[in-house]
Amino acid sequence: MVHKIYVRHKNVKSSCRLQISLVKQSVREALSFENVDRPCEVNVLITGDKTIREFNREFRGVDKVTDVLSFPMIDFSPPGWVDPGDGAVDPETGLVPLGEIVISAYRVREQAHEFMHSIERESVYLTVHSALHLLGYDHVDEGDSKRRMRDKEKIIMQKLGF
């Protein structure tokens, strides 16, 4: 399946930038795992703490830095890919716009250090995590929903070699 994954850096020092190819691969693997069988579009913004804090405050009402935010364009309820039909296709691109992901490059580095693993592993985890949010998965409650999401993250991470 040919998905369009757009990734860009904004307000990130060049020495702190994440591997764009790895972020794209992570989104593609999550979509493949979920059997997304229609060409989709996902936009990923890799930014700094100030910008992600502004997004978090504006869209969630939480005035603090976070590691990743997801902004789904389609409500998948129950979670998981179900073809939303031709009405969801952007007529200009021929793609289903799944949504946007915003990642703090600085939180990726801090968390990689904190959890004692690589920057690559942390960026892959947060990208996979956020891609699953775009498909309706959530971890708000401690029940089955969170467990299903965590299980999927683990499998996708293994497929990506982490």
Side-chain angles (χ1 to χ4, degrees):
M1 187 58 45
V2 180
H3 302 294
K4 297 291 182 184
I5 316 299
Y6 300 100
V7 182
R8 68 185 176 100
H9 287 91
K10 179 182 178 185
N11 300 327
V12 179
K13 292 187 262 183
S14 59
S15 62
C16 293
R17 292 183 175 210
L18 304 181
Q19 291 181 33
I20 288 176
S21 60
L22 192 56
V23 171
K24 287 182 176 184
Q25 182 184 9
S26 300
V27 173
R28 283 194 178 96
E29 191 62 48
L31 298 180
S32 174
F33 182 77
E34 285 294 302
N35 300 310
V36 176
D37 58 358
R38 189 183 278 255
C40 293
E41 177 181 336
V42 175
N43 290 289
V44 181
L45 174 63
I46 303 167
T47 192
D49 287 347
K50 180 181 177 192
T51 302
I52 204 165
R53 181 178 183 169
E54 290 169 1
F55 275 104
N56 205 16
R57 180 177 52 243
E58 181 177 345
F59 294 103
R60 296 182 61 230
V62 179
D63 189 15
K64 68 178 194 172
V65 173
T66 190
D67 50 7
V68 67
L69 294 168
S70 306
F71 299 99
M73 297 291 289
I74 298 171
D75 180 20
F76 291 101
S77 184
W81 172 256
V82 174
D83 191 328
D86 292 337
V89 175
D90 181 329
E92 292 182 24
T93 65
L95 303 168
V96 174
L98 288 182
E100 313 238 349
I101 295 170
V102 182
I103 301 171
S104 168
Y106 303 118
R107 290 297 304 149
V108 167
R109 290 181 176 289
E110 288 173 17
Q111 289 175 183
H113 178 74
E114 178 183 338
F115 299 129
M116 296 184 290
H117 54 241
S118 70
I119 291 166
E120 291 79 14
R121 190 236 177 255
E122 186 66 16
S123 63
V124 166
Y125 172 74
L126 292 176
T127 304
V128 167
H129 177 86
S130 196
L132 289 174
H133 275 311
L134 295 183
L135 296 172
Y137 290 95
D138 207 350
H139 52 83
V140 173
D141 64 60
E142 293 294 325
D144 188 50
S145 177
K146 181 176 182 175
R147 190 171 29 261
R148 283 187 22 211
M149 185 174 183
R150 295 294 186 236
D151 290 345
K152 288 175 182 285
E153 289 167 350
K154 287 177 187 172
I155 294 167
I156 296 165
M157 295 285 293
Q158 288 172 346
K159 288 179 171 280
L160 288 163
F162 291 94

